[in-house]
Amino acid sequence: MSTTEGVGMGKYNVRPDIDAAAEKAGPALGSKREIENLPSVLWEGETVDMLVTGLYGGGNGLVALTDRRLIFFKHGMMSQKLEDFPLGNISSVEWTGGMLMGTLTVYASGNRADIKNVAKAQGAALSGELRMRLSKTPAAAAPVASVPSAAQDVASRLATLDQLRLVGAITDAEYQDRRTAILNSI
């Protein structure tokens, strides 16, 4: 399977959803093997929405947001690493961006996972999309323990939404709908 030249991770001819996510993602930075083998770790009927590369557990790999979970996948010549976070188990997500790269922190089932060296724009878009999905899950409807953190959460969600629109991850219409939903949640 060959890649085409371009801005995105390229065309892998793996599956339409994976190819579309790879095209939107940006440079693959060595994730060709992971992209090509991603279908082997997906559940039946599961679709890939977003892809980014990052460093987790000592290895560079692929982070995939699907309709059901967040996956970290490293497919090396000698070993393979797969860790997944079903969306229903994720309690929150945090994005810390630097000049070019950042860290995506996922809190799930009482554990914390730091995925480092994620490209800034793609990481912001992924964390924003993940926050939107979490806000729609029943677990997100639980009462917030602290009022200051609730206000910070709204500001963070709005900032993430702005980033999603800026990088083209959502349309202007989606931006307006989600912004209205965030403001109505106050």
Side-chain angles (χ1 to χ4, degrees):
M1 293 178 200
S2 66
T3 61
T4 60
E5 299 203 19
V7 186
M9 287 184 179
K11 181 87 170 143
Y12 290 88
N13 297 317
V14 176
R15 261 183 25 188
D17 60 324
I18 295 172
D19 290 343
E23 189 60 36
K24 288 190 290 186
L29 302 176
S31 294
K32 180 180 182 208
R33 181 176 296 161
E34 285 81 7
I35 291 170
E36 291 174 344
N37 288 284
L38 188 55
S40 69
V41 299
L42 295 174
W43 297 334
E44 185 175 334
E46 185 174 24
T47 58
V48 175
D49 299 320
M50 297 180 82
L51 296 173
V52 299
T53 58
L55 179 67
Y56 178 68
N60 239 357
L62 187 68
V63 180
L65 177 62
T66 75
D67 59 332
R68 301 178 191 175
R69 58 192 171 143
L70 184 69
I71 301 168
F72 178 82
F73 181 47
K74 171 67 182 154
H75 190 280
M77 290 171 92
M78 302 297 282
S79 66
Q80 181 175 315
K81 178 178 178 72
L82 174 69
E83 186 155 349
D84 68 343
F85 307 91
L87 295 180
N89 293 353
I90 299 174
S91 57
S92 66
V93 62
E94 177 182 315
W95 170 252
T96 308
M99 286 188 68
L100 299 174
M101 307 295 256
T103 300
L104 178 69
T105 303
V106 179
Y107 297 91
S109 302
N111 295 312
R112 172 186 172 152
D114 291 317
I115 304 170
K116 301 178 180 183
N117 293 340
V118 177
K120 186 176 181 178
Q122 290 83 3
L126 180 88
S127 66
E129 180 61 28
L130 194 49
R131 278 191 191 99
M132 290 296 171
R133 291 184 188 190
L134 294 177
S135 71
K136 295 176 184 177
T137 62
V144 178
S146 165
V147 173
S149 67
Q152 290 170 347
D153 181 52
V154 169
S156 173
R157 289 171 61 199
L158 288 171
T160 300
L161 188 60
D162 289 338
Q163 280 290 328
L164 286 170
R165 183 172 68 167
L166 185 65
V167 299
I170 60 173
T171 66
D172 286 338
E174 290 171 319
Y175 170 83
Q176 289 300 330
D177 290 344
R178 291 177 181 184
R179 186 174 191 282
T180 301
I182 291 169
L183 294 175
N184 287 341
S185 72
I186 299 176

